[in-house]
Amino acid sequence: SLRLRQILINYVNNAIKFTSQGEVVVSVRIAQEDAHSIVLHFSVKDTGIGLSAAQMAQLFQPFQQADSSTSRKYGGTGLGLAISKQLANLMGGDVGVESELGEGSTFWFTATLRKATNQSERLPRKTRVQGVRVLVVDDNDTARNVLDDLLSGMGFHVSLVENGQQALVEIEQALLAGNPYRVVFLDWYMPEMDGIQTAKAIKALNVSQDKRPEIIFITAYGREQLIKEVETLGIAHILIKPVSASVLFDMAMQVLGEHRIVLSQHNPDQAVKDFAYYARELRPIQYANILLVEDNVLNQEVVVDLFMGVGLNVEVANNGQEALLKLTQSSYDIVLMDMQMPIMDGVSATREIRQNPQYDALPVVAMTANAMQQDREKCLASGMNDFLTKPIDPDELFAMLLKWVKPTVFSESDEIDILPELRAVEMPTIALPVIEGLDTTLGLNPVLGDVTMYLKMLARYVENQKHTPQKIQQALQVSRFDEAERFAHSAKGVSANIGATVLKTLAGDIERHIREKHDIALIEASLAAFAQAHGQMIASLDAFFAQTTQKLPVISMTLGSAAQVELIEKLQRLLSDDDGEALALFEAYEGVFASLFAAEDYQQLKQLVSCFDFDQALHCLSALKKERT
């Protein structure tokens, strides 16, 4: 890789040096391939001063360059090209140049490389973009072709036009044909009809909102003028050139609102996949000890509630450092590791874990909202075994546990009442909030359609996320960009969990702008858009909870006597350790606790646990346990 980098740097530097206007394009293609090796053809094309045939004949020779006048104006280039040729030869390749005086040049080289014997598995695409129509509008041929390659590779059906007028014609024809474009990737700076004018014309089309394409601006400038004009159009999506595949994919998914379909709607045959169903499926690993490493409280609760609901044991660490400490104190069968956390992130923590031979066989599974192939490769390189994308899909989460956790061997005569079978009770209908930007169907997916759990999750969201915009703003004001990016990343994940698709998109914009070090004006504009939408969401949820008079039902569970004792003892241990997971355990099994104790005693215990008065809660629980025996 060092040799490739040296040649490319030399070629690109020369191209930029000799190109006063136009463009420099770096490209690579497969020239030849067999079972064990591959020949790659790299080229750097510019629109600079070009070379004559006589000048080209002198290149790639030691201490040679086009002529002395070139050296005086642009500086020497001969030695770099001679070294490039030597490096290419060392890689089993060659070098060359194609040029015409005054028309630009294309410098190329080839390299023969061995194929990796351990090729990482390609990240499976879980989105439904195959055949989705998108339109690319850009007057630059290279920019259009690059976007075409990237989007087509993702599965989109891509059309290309070079100006705003052609774009409007194309969009109108697609509407008439009944196959409208879903997204328009629109360059800002174009002759005659620029991106802003084109966007206004698209917005003015006499069609329903669901048939009008979403607009993503693409620009190489990123100036305040574009930001302000885009805000007036109600468009919050801006990509800064050069656009990477990861950023492009993430933005497209955000705009399309791509998400998984709730099982009961997608496949009626799977509608019975409730907690009892999964508890039976997970019986082979019902005694597993799971360590969840996650800094966000809401994300913790979503996963913990899922595990508690199916009877699995889970402990929580708030960051990588806490995870390392817990590993020295307890034995775990699997670690679920978030990637972005304060103090110590998931990648660093996993590297530390893999340095200890004691944990060679311990499965570590990444959990992250960043789902591109390079994110997976980063996880695997650190020593992680597998990869889960947020928002967490219960099917995929439980399948991952069955894949990596060693099953427990037990006989059919063993006690099976510890499975948390739900009683067949009549559940009253509970109204869900109807709020713009909140997809309750999507939000119910991570909690397996449990409305009670979902409403609790919304309440936690209001409680824990109310001040997120201010936290991001404060971090930006003191130039703590890593901290601001982490807050935005967290906001993106928890918004996805509750089904707040618009907030997920806006938080993702902030995260991306900070990560790619864009202009502070662009970051602040994205934050302003997020803060406004976030404030409306919090206010709407506050109003919903203030106005609703419905009492959330308590779901009762049937547990055998041995499981009841085990549950009480686990709550005792958590209270004794002053572990915040005690609240999650109590809420997940509150129907069981309500059935174990007298109503007055239960309410007292519930009040103490809910107020985090764990010392008094432990004293109360110990007394109640003594009474039972």
Side-chain angles (χ1 to χ4, degrees):
S1 62
L2 179 61
R3 292 171 178 172
L4 293 174
R5 187 180 302 114
Q6 285 179 313
I7 300 175
L8 286 171
I9 289 174
N10 179 251
Y11 277 12
V12 171
N13 282 342
N14 286 343
I16 294 172
K17 188 185 302 181
F18 292 106
T19 305
S20 58
Q21 61 181 5
E23 64 185 15
V24 174
V25 179
V26 181
S27 59
V28 60
R29 61 178 173 83
I30 298 174
Q32 193 176 333
E33 183 178 12
D34 59 30
H36 305 291
S37 64
I38 188 170
V39 179
L40 296 180
H41 182 283
F42 296 85
S43 66
V44 178
K45 180 181 179 181
D46 64 59
T47 56
I49 61 174
L51 295 163
S52 66
Q55 290 171 328
M56 285 189 285
Q58 299 178 37
L59 296 179
F60 299 108
Q61 303 299 321
F63 308 107
Q64 296 294 321
Q65 55 192 39
D67 58 39
S68 59
S69 63
T70 300
S71 177
R72 285 193 298 272
K73 182 173 182 180
Y74 298 103
T77 61
L79 182 58
L81 291 177
I83 294 174
S84 295
K85 181 176 182 179
Q86 293 174 9
L87 293 173
N89 292 156
L90 288 172
M91 293 185 289
D94 203 354
V95 297
V97 60
E98 300 164 5
S99 184
E100 187 175 340
L101 194 61
E103 298 295 329
S105 305
T106 300
F107 281 79
W108 58 267
F109 73 94
T110 57
T112 303
L113 307 174
R114 289 193 304 273
K115 288 185 175 179
T117 54
N118 243 349
Q119 296 186 54
S120 59
E121 178 185 355
R122 186 174 181 84
L123 183 63
R125 184 181 294 122
K126 302 182 186 297
T127 54
R128 299 173 178 86
V129 303
Q130 196 69 38
V132 171
R133 298 195 74 193
V134 298
L135 180 65
V136 175
V137 189
D138 199 312
D139 63 305
N140 183 279
D141 292 342
T142 301
R144 285 199 309 275
N145 293 332
V146 167
L147 286 173
D148 184 16
D149 288 343
L150 292 174
L151 292 167
S152 297
M154 297 171 191
F156 289 100
H157 184 280
V158 187
S159 297
L160 308 175
V161 294
E162 60 185 47
N163 57 56
Q165 291 92 337
Q166 292 179 5
L168 292 173
V169 171
E170 188 69 28
I171 291 170
E172 290 174 345
Q173 288 179 348
L175 287 167
L176 289 173
N179 191 16
Y181 288 101
R182 295 285 303 280
V183 184
V184 175
F185 294 90
L186 186 58
D187 186 41
W188 173 37
Y189 192 73
M190 297 184 293
E192 297 181 18
M193 188 176 190
D194 64 21
I196 298 294
Q197 293 170 321
T198 305
K200 289 179 179 178
I202 294 172
K203 290 278 188 180
L205 290 174
N206 186 25
V207 293
S208 58
Q209 182 64 36
D210 63 320
K211 293 184 179 179
R212 184 179 294 116
E214 297 286 345
I215 297 174
I216 298 176
F217 269 105
I218 303 179
T219 179
Y221 301 94
R223 298 289 185 262
E224 291 187 19
Q225 178 186 351
L226 173 60
I227 298 167
K228 291 178 180 178
E229 291 193 68
V230 164
E231 282 181 342
T232 62
L233 291 173
I235 299 172
H237 309 293
I238 301 175
L239 290 173
I240 307 298
K241 295 178 181 179
V243 180
S244 70
S246 175
V247 171
L248 184 66
F249 182 83
D250 189 43
M251 177 67 78
M253 292 302 95
Q254 289 176 9
V255 168
L256 289 170
E258 175 68 20
H259 57 261
R260 298 177 181 88
I261 305 300
V262 175
L263 289 175
S264 59
Q265 290 188 349
H266 182 55
N267 187 345
D269 294 336
Q270 295 181 341
V272 296
K273 287 192 174 181
D274 55 10
F275 285 109
Y277 168 85
Y278 282 111
R280 288 189 293 270
E281 292 294 305
L282 295 167
R283 188 183 173 204
I285 61 168
Q286 65 188 30
Y287 298 112
N289 290 317
I290 302 165
L291 179 59
L292 171 66
V293 190
E294 166 68 63
D295 65 303
N296 185 276
V297 175
L298 191 58
N299 287 338
Q300 289 175 1
E301 291 183 355
V302 169
V303 179
V304 167
D305 285 348
L306 279 174
F307 287 154
M308 292 297 185
V310 297
L312 294 175
N313 298 314
V314 59
E315 293 187 22
V316 177
N318 294 296
N319 55 63
Q321 193 174 88
E322 284 189 19
L324 295 177
L325 179 61
K326 282 185 174 289
L327 284 171
T328 64
Q329 299 170 340
S330 303
S331 176
Y332 299 97
D333 297 286
I334 191 170
V335 178
L336 302 178
M337 185 80 73
D338 186 34
M339 284 184 68
Q340 294 191 5
M341 297 178 290
I343 304 178
M344 179 182 284
D345 62 32
V347 170
S348 301
T350 304
R351 287 175 180 151
E352 290 289 326
I353 291 171
R354 293 306 181 215
Q355 288 180 7
N356 189 336
Q358 178 183 348
Y359 305 125
D360 284 350
L362 176 64
V364 180
V365 175
M367 298 194 309
T368 179
N370 299 324
M372 294 301 293
Q373 177 68 17
Q374 54 261 47
D375 298 307
R376 181 186 178 96
E377 290 173 350
K378 185 177 181 181
C379 294
L380 296 178
S382 71
M384 296 183 184
N385 300 86
D386 222 319
F387 191 97
L388 279 170
T389 56
K390 296 178 182 178
I392 297 299
D393 181 282
D395 260 337
E396 294 181 2
L397 175 62
F398 294 143
M400 192 68 71
L401 295 181
L402 289 170
K403 176 180 178 181
W404 289 106
V405 176
K406 293 181 179 179
T408 303
V409 178
F410 57 89
S411 68
E412 290 297 323
S413 60
D414 286 344
E415 174 68 60
I416 62 173
D417 278 345
I418 61 173
L419 294 178
E421 301 286 353
L422 299 180
R423 287 179 182 167
V425 296
E426 287 295 322
M427 296 295 291
T429 301
I430 306 177
L432 289 170
V434 179
I435 299 173
E436 185 177 355
L438 182 65
D439 186 338
T440 54
T441 301
L442 177 59
L444 283 165
N445 195 27
V447 293
L448 296 173
D450 188 321
V451 175
T452 303
M453 196 176 291
Y454 177 60
L455 291 177
K456 287 181 179 179
M457 191 164 66
L458 290 178
R460 292 287 186 184
Y461 181 87
V462 173
E463 177 184 350
N464 297 320
Q465 296 296 312
K466 185 172 291 186
H467 304 297
T468 296
Q470 293 90 326
K471 290 179 180 179
I472 297 174
Q473 182 65 59
Q474 290 166 2
L476 292 174
Q477 287 174 346
V478 293
S479 299
R480 292 180 180 171
F481 294 104
D482 289 344
E483 185 176 315
E485 181 184 348
R486 181 168 51 80
F487 285 141
H489 177 81
S490 177
K492 180 177 72 173
V494 296
S495 297
N497 279 335
I498 67 170
T501 54
V502 174
L503 287 176
K504 174 196 171 187
T505 298
L506 295 173
D509 289 342
I510 300 170
E511 178 192 19
R512 178 172 50 81
H513 293 321
I514 296 173
R515 183 177 63 245
E516 297 181 1
K517 298 179 173 59
H518 292 164
D519 292 346
I520 190 65
L522 183 57
I523 297 173
E524 290 178 345
S526 296
L527 176 57
F530 171 76
Q532 181 179 2
H534 180 269
Q536 292 172 351
M537 178 64 70
I538 295 295
S540 298
L541 287 172
D542 275 336
F544 168 78
F545 286 116
Q547 293 172 7
T548 184
T549 57
Q550 58 196 349
K551 180 174 176 60
L552 301 182
V554 174
I555 299 176
S556 183
M557 297 179 183
T558 302
L559 293 181
S561 57
Q564 292 175 5
V565 172
E566 182 182 337
L567 185 63
I568 293 172
E569 290 179 348
K570 179 161 187 176
L571 181 59
Q572 276 187 305
R573 290 195 301 271
L574 294 172
L575 292 172
S576 178
D577 293 340
D578 201 28
D579 192 330
E581 190 185 330
L583 177 60
L585 178 68
F586 190 87
E587 289 185 343
Y589 287 91
E590 60 181 327
V592 178
F593 288 114
S595 68
L596 294 178
F597 309 121
E600 185 177 346
D601 294 334
Y602 164 74
Q603 289 298 333
Q604 180 186 9
L605 179 62
K606 180 179 179 180
Q607 177 67 22
L608 292 171
V609 174
S610 300
C611 293
F612 294 94
D613 191 348
F614 288 170
D615 288 338
Q616 288 300 316
L618 178 61
H619 179 75
C620 176
L621 181 61
S622 299
L624 293 175
K625 180 183 176 185
K626 188 174 182 180
E627 289 178 9
R628 281 175 51 83
T629 56

